Amino acid sequence: MNYLINNQPKKTKAFIAGVNLNDPNFDYYMTELRELALANNLDVVGQASQKAENIVSGTYFGVGKINQIKNMARELYPKVLVINDELSPTQIRNIEGMTKLKVLDRTELILEIFSNRARSRQAKLQVQLARLQYELPRLHPSENNLDQQRGSGGASGGFANRGSGETKLELNRRTIGKQISAIKKELKDISKQEEIKSARRNNSCLPQVALVGYTNAGKSTTMNELLNVFSDEANKKQVFEKDMLFATLDTSVRRIDLKDDLSFILSDTVGFISKLPHNLVESFKATLQEAKDADLLINVVDASDHNMVQMVKTTQKVLAELNITDMPMITAYNKADLTERNYPQIEGNDILYSAKDPESIRQLANLIVKRVFDNYEKVNLVLPLSDGKNLAYLHEYGQILSEDFKDDGIHVTVRLSPKDLDKFKTNAI
């Protein structure tokens, strides 16, 4: 329960713990777990870890480590024990029984954060679906009231009561199964609507650029600053940004109009994290469709974080799970202002920048132009004087270099995409 203090909810004290199976990235995962706990309004008061060759099937930790955590908890007064891995129902019940603390595993913690942050109908349904898929295999007869009657009566009575318990369990499973089916159907309908919107954007011939990367690396800030630098209506189009994990789960799409009449569609996708629950990856495939349809990905990385390399690997792993491979990419190392390195710097397809620095944003835009407009060609066209529709199209989706109204038509020098080159081939001179 949260209590309001000066209009702010009081944070619940939490203790984090995990088992290290000789994993070189274990410390990184524990740091990440702490950040996840903070993102869920938990106050981390302590942590513990155990090195082991294998996980103990019934209790996750060895009994000695559980007793140690129990003794530490007596001094620190946490209410919640957050575990670095996904646990089985048996492990959760046993640890709770031995420590007298509420146990929250990593998967459920992430699900809680996603549930609190979802805003759109699509995001809320995706989180609800992932939660139901997480809960379904965790249903257990002992959680049913009927199951408490098993020990009474004779052999036939015991059998009958056990059957009642199992019937209740199956009823719960069917109920969740129906909910999952209903949510999948609604998500499919929403997905169709999003596909129509995406198709319209693709048919516009404007290049599609998607921001991807680790959560809290600065994707939303990058989008907002691109809007600030290049859009006259930036304040009307800002996306939500905050210095915390999973500040937003909804994909935002904006049109960026650069100088020289160059424009592209930019999407800001949900952030990634290590050990992202598989059900969430599956649930958010529709949300990440923007990344799959993109002409260019911008992998935003926090250059000030010493776990930067691991974050890049995490993003690559999640993209691979989504079958997003072999796609043109810019690796954008953000938050250079928090390091001692000079910025902005561009080396090949990499940029070191600060999303809060206008010059960095202009350099990033130049790099985007170089990547997505590289296959555009400059052509000379002549349009009929009455062809205002195609002239407007060229202004909307091409880069007009010159325009001259003459007796024989409208002479236009324009830079076009390969798709539009074919569209206007009969007008070329």
Side-chain angles (χ1 to χ4, degrees):
M1 180 179 293
N2 290 331
Y3 301 92
L4 289 179
I5 298 179
N6 297 327
N7 295 323
Q8 295 294 326
K10 181 181 179 181
K11 292 185 176 181
T12 300
K13 289 186 178 182
F15 193 95
I16 64 174
V19 173
N20 182 5
L21 301 178
N22 299 315
D23 188 340
N25 297 314
F26 178 76
D27 290 340
Y28 164 68
Y29 294 144
M30 289 296 291
T31 299
E32 195 175 69
L33 186 67
R34 176 182 290 269
E35 292 298 318
L36 285 167
L38 294 175
N40 202 39
N41 202 41
L42 296 174
D43 178 19
V44 179
V45 295
Q47 73 177 67
S49 61
Q50 178 180 21
K51 287 188 176 181
E53 294 296 325
N54 297 289
I55 297 293
V56 179
S57 60
T59 54
Y60 181 71
F61 297 106
V63 174
K65 179 58 64 174
I66 291 181
N67 287 331
Q68 180 188 358
I69 292 172
K70 182 178 179 180
N71 291 333
M72 294 174 72
R74 286 174 179 164
E75 299 178 3
L76 299 171
Y77 302 106
K79 298 293 184 183
V80 180
L81 175 60
V82 184
I83 305 298
N84 191 41
D85 292 292
E86 184 172 314
L87 302 181
S88 69
T90 299
Q91 289 171 333
I92 292 175
R93 281 194 295 271
N94 288 340
I95 297 174
E96 286 183 339
M98 297 172 73
T99 64
K100 308 305 177 186
L101 297 173
K102 172 180 170 54
V103 172
L104 198 65
D105 69 13
R106 186 184 181 99
T107 297
E108 190 168 7
L109 174 62
I110 293 175
L111 286 171
E112 281 194 4
I113 294 171
F114 273 52
S115 180
N116 292 333
R117 303 284 162 77
R119 292 294 176 265
S120 71
R121 178 62 178 167
Q122 184 183 31
K124 289 178 180 179
L125 286 171
Q126 287 165 334
V127 174
Q128 188 178 355
L129 175 61
R131 180 174 287 280
L132 289 172
Q133 290 171 329
Y134 170 80
E135 292 175 354
L136 184 59
R138 286 167 169 73
L139 292 178
H140 193 274
S142 64
E143 296 174 356
N144 298 310
N145 292 331
L146 290 174
D147 189 64
Q148 298 174 2
Q149 304 171 15
R150 283 188 187 177
S152 62
S156 60
F159 181 83
N161 285 327
R162 182 176 63 199
S164 299
E166 289 173 345
T167 301
K168 176 69 172 177
L169 175 63
E170 288 302 318
L171 178 61
N172 290 340
R173 284 176 175 162
R174 284 197 300 273
T175 300
I176 290 181
K178 288 179 180 178
Q179 289 177 322
I180 288 174
S181 297
I183 291 172
K184 284 184 174 180
K185 183 180 183 300
E186 187 171 351
L187 279 172
K188 189 175 181 179
D189 293 338
I190 293 176
S191 181
K192 288 179 180 177
Q193 298 171 13
E194 293 301 319
E195 286 174 4
I196 292 172
K197 293 179 184 178
S198 180
R200 287 174 182 166
R201 289 193 288 269
N202 290 335
N203 290 336
S204 74
C205 298
L206 288 181
Q208 315 285 312
V209 180
L211 295 162
V212 298
Y214 202 83
T215 180
N216 205 32
K219 298 185 299 299
S220 297
T221 303
T222 298
M223 172 178 270
N224 283 338
E225 292 310 310
L226 280 165
L227 288 166
N228 276 334
V229 172
F230 295 105
S231 175
D232 293 333
E233 300 180 359
N235 292 332
K236 298 179 181 179
K237 301 179 180 179
Q238 296 286 287
V239 297
F240 179 75
E241 60 179 84
K242 190 172 181 179
D243 184 18
M244 63 180 179
L245 301 188
F246 301 116
T248 179
L249 304 181
D250 299 308
T251 297
S252 301
V253 180
R254 301 289 187 271
R255 172 173 170 150
I256 306 295
D257 296 309
L258 306 175
K259 296 177 181 178
D260 302 321
D261 295 317
L262 292 177
S263 301
F264 61 89
I265 301 297
L266 181 67
S267 58
D268 174 22
T269 62
V270 63
F272 304 148
I273 199 166
S274 299
K275 300 185 180 180
L276 187 65
H278 179 71
N279 287 337
L280 275 177
V281 174
E282 287 297 313
S283 296
F284 275 81
K285 278 186 176 179
T287 301
L288 292 163
Q289 187 65 36
E290 297 293 337
K292 297 189 74 171
D293 293 339
D295 300 293
L296 174 70
L297 298 180
I298 301 177
N299 179 10
V300 182
V301 182
D302 183 353
S304 68
D305 196 305
H306 64 277
N307 294 308
M308 177 178 64
V309 173
Q310 182 62 31
M311 291 176 176
V312 173
K313 291 180 179 178
T314 295
T315 298
Q316 292 172 339
K317 180 180 178 181
V318 176
L319 288 174
E321 287 184 41
L322 295 167
N323 295 318
I324 302 175
T325 56
D326 300 323
M327 188 173 288
M329 180 183 290
I330 292 172
T331 303
Y333 295 93
N334 185 28
K335 304 187 182 181
D337 53 308
L338 301 180
T339 72
E340 296 180 355
R341 299 176 64 185
N342 294 325
Y343 65 91
Q345 292 185 47
I346 294 178
E347 183 175 334
N349 295 320
D350 298 348
I351 179 172
L352 176 69
Y353 78 114
S354 168
K356 298 178 180 180
D357 171 44
E359 180 57 28
S360 288
I361 292 299
R362 283 189 281 269
Q363 291 296 325
L364 174 61
N366 290 339
L367 189 54
I368 293 171
V369 168
K370 182 179 178 182
R371 293 302 305 275
V372 300
F373 294 102
D374 192 46
N375 61 348
Y376 278 46
E377 292 186 25
K378 184 173 71 173
V379 293
N380 296 311
L381 305 176
V382 177
L383 302 177
L385 289 170
S386 60
D387 195 0
K389 182 178 179 180
N390 275 328
L391 181 62
Y393 182 92
L394 290 174
H395 276 278
E396 182 81 6
Y397 303 118
Q399 180 188 9
I400 301 291
L401 303 176
S402 67
E403 181 180 339
D404 191 10
F405 288 79
K406 296 184 178 180
D407 292 339
D408 63 335
I410 309 170
H411 289 245
V412 181
T413 300
V414 59
R415 187 172 286 118
L416 294 175
S417 69
K419 189 184 297 184
D420 282 334
L421 283 170
D422 186 62
K423 176 182 175 71
F424 288 95
K425 64 183 178 182
T426 57
N427 301 99
I429 57 172

